[in-house]
């Protein structure tokens, strides 16, 4: 049966949904609404290549002809402005109306705007779109001191990029260490020392309350009254699902659009996936989660039984002369054993978390050569050989699982 499938949003969830649909259904019409003028691209690469030569061709998730081959009708640079769930119509900002049999909401999230006085000043930036990179590049040449509000992955990569341009950088982080969700205390310490060794100032347990200046920022003030010098600000303090479009519909909205494990909303023909979707009270917020949810939504739309059962969180970062890899559950209190190896100069650090004779998490700083092997064991919940973990090193474990 030929159906009209409309997808709002042009991220990885949308692309993976199209792939899944086309595995089972080659004839239905698919309409993809993307509010940027570009084909869907890898947003996670933006801060990784802030000052490198960057073209959309290098960033695109799929090449242009893939959309033609899969008979996807693209609406680039168009915004969905209204949804009528009774008439099954989506209205675009140019007056176009698209009728749908099934609708996928995949319009993601926006960067959360912190409640800081002066956050609206012209040289205060956040990175979510390709145009944000262009804006920063266009205005950074005469800037000397960059304040990064938030010490997560995105801002650490941005800080590293600014260092590479000879800028003085300060990172203000609300929590008591860097990347606490991805790293244990020792790994955070190694990262912090590497950042400081590149002449970056780190302010932990620090909340910014005000950005000073008239039209442009010329400084910031912390909660305890400390003045921080800066002439550009980049903030990254989490995300907020783009739910505004759905507020006057019957859809259930909390943090995101609420879905079940088939990625279906309370309306039988409407699905949601990626950063817009809330499942079990949580919004994913990770690329890997959006990939999997998009696939599950696509299968569900095409009529295949599929259920989202969670995605193992994976973090990769290369910055400040460190390669950092983190995967899975890194809470030592929920593990039966942890294996740790570290070098005296802190150039390498490896910690493997084991529970029920399986690797459930890992932190690797240094050589990434075994990262994919560890990822395979974590994601597939593969059993480990019969080992006395109290007498085993990380290297011993790696050698044994390589031979499996």
């Amino acid at each position: 049966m030929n159906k009209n499938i409309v997808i709002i949003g042009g991220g990885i969830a949308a692309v993976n949904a199209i792939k899944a649909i086309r595995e089972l259904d080659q004839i239905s019409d698919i309409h993809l609404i993307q509010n940027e003028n570009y084909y869907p691209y890898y947003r996670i690469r933006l801060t990784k290549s802030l000052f490198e030569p960057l073209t959309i061709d290098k960033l695109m998730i799929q090449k242009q002809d893939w959309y033609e081959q899969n008979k996807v009708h693209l609406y680039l640079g168009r915004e969905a402005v209204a949804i009528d769930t009774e008439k099954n119509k989506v209205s675009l900002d140019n007056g176009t109306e698209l009728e749908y049999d099934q609708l996928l909401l995949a319009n993601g999230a926006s960067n959360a705007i912190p409640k800081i006085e002066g956050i609206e000043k012209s040289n205060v930036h956040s990175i979510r779109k390709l145009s944000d990179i262009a804006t920063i590049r266009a205005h950074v040449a005469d800037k000397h001191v960059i304040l990064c509000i938030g010490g997560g992955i995105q801002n650490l990569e941005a800080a590293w990029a600014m260092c590479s341009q000879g800028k003085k950088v300060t990172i203000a982080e609300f929590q008591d260490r860097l990347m606490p969700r991805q790293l244990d205390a020792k790994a955070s310490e190694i990262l912090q020392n590497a950042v400081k060794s590149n002449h970056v100032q780190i302010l932990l347990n620090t909340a910014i309350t005000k950005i000073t200046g008239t039209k442009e920022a010329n400084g910031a003030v912390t909660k305890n009254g400390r003045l921080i010098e800066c002439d550009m600000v980049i903030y990254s303090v989490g995300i907020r699902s783009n739910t505004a479009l759905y507020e006057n519909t019957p859809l259930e909205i909390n943090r995101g659009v609420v879905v079940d494990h088939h990625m279906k909303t309370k309306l039988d023909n409407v699905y949601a996936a990626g950063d817009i979707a809330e499942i079990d009270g949580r919004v994913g917020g990770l690329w890997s989660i959006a990939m999997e949810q998009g696939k599950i939504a696509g299968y569900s739309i095409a009529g295949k039984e599929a259920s989202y059962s969670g995605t193992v969180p994976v973090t990769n970062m290369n910055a400040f002369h460190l390669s950092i890899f983190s995967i899975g559950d890194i809470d030592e209190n929920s593990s039966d054993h942890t294996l740790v190896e570290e070098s005296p100069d802190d150039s390498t650090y490896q910690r493997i978390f084991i529970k029920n004779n399986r690797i459930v998490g890992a932190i690797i700083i240094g050589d990434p050569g075994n990262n994919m092997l560890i990822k395979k064991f974590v994601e597939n919940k593969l059993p480990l050989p019969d080992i006395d973990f109290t007498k085993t090193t990380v290297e011993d474990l790696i050698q044994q699982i390589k031979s499996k």
Side-chain angles (χ1 to χ4, degrees), residues 308-367:
Y308 178 74
S309 57
T311 305
V312 175
V314 180
T315 297
N316 283 287
M317 187 177 78
N318 288 281
F320 300 101
H321 307 294
L322 289 179
S323 169
I324 296 177
F325 171 76
S326 173
I327 184 170
D329 184 357
I330 59 162
D331 180 5
E332 63 181 315
N333 295 319
S334 66
S335 300
D336 299 329
H337 307 277
T338 69
L339 307 181
V340 181
E341 286 185 17
E342 57 188 285
S343 60
D345 63 355
D346 284 346
S347 60
T348 62
Y349 177 77
Q350 301 178 87
R351 189 173 188 185
I352 309 294
F353 298 80
I354 298 164
K355 184 176 184 178
N356 298 328
N357 204 45
R358 286 170 170 78
I359 301 174
V360 295
I363 300 167
I364 308 293
I365 297 179
D367 185 0

Side-chain angles (χ1 to χ4, degrees), residues 140-271:
V140 75
D142 63 344
K143 303 298 186 290
H144 306 287
V145 186
I146 316 299
L147 170 62
C148 293
I149 301 175
I153 298 163
Q154 186 184 76
N155 252 14
L156 285 168
E157 290 178 338
W160 175 235
M162 289 296 175
C163 287
S164 73
Q165 299 297 301
K167 309 298 182 182
K168 183 180 178 182
V169 179
T170 297
I171 298 173
E173 167 57 44
F174 182 76
Q175 301 193 69
D176 61 0
R177 59 187 178 92
L178 299 176
M179 294 176 62
R181 288 187 297 175
Q182 296 89 6
L183 303 177
D184 64 5
K186 177 60 180 179
S188 285
E189 180 187 346
I190 292 171
L191 172 59
Q192 182 172 328
N193 290 338
V195 174
K196 286 181 176 179
S197 71
N198 284 273
H199 311 293
V200 174
Q201 182 182 32
I202 302 173
L203 304 176
L204 300 175
N205 298 304
T206 298
I208 303 297
T209 58
K210 182 178 181 180
I211 296 172
T212 60
T214 51
K215 292 183 179 180
E216 288 198 351
N218 61 15
V221 181
T222 70
K223 188 176 182 180
N224 63 8
R226 178 175 179 175
L227 180 62
I228 302 171
E229 177 191 359
C230 66
D231 51 17
M232 177 179 277
V233 176
I234 300 174
Y235 65 85
S236 178
V237 293
I239 61 170
R240 296 289 182 272
S241 298
N242 294 323
T243 58
L245 180 60
Y246 316 120
E247 287 176 356
N248 295 317
T249 71
L251 294 167
E252 183 181 354
I253 298 171
N254 188 27
R255 293 180 180 176
V257 176
V258 178
V259 297
D260 63 17
H261 286 258
H262 305 292
M263 310 313 298
K264 186 168 69 174
T265 70
K266 66 182 293 185
L267 302 180
D268 283 341
N269 65 338
V270 180
Y271 299 77

Side-chain angles (χ1 to χ4, degrees), residues 95-126:
T96 299
E97 288 190 340
L98 299 175
E99 295 186 1
Y100 65 84
D101 296 295
Q102 290 166 304
L103 174 64
L104 174 60
L105 315 178
N107 58 315
S110 300
N111 287 349
I113 302 173
K115 294 180 179 179
I116 298 172
E117 182 183 345
I119 197 71
E120 75 287 345
K121 295 187 189 300
S122 62
N123 59 334
V124 177
H125 305 278
S126 191

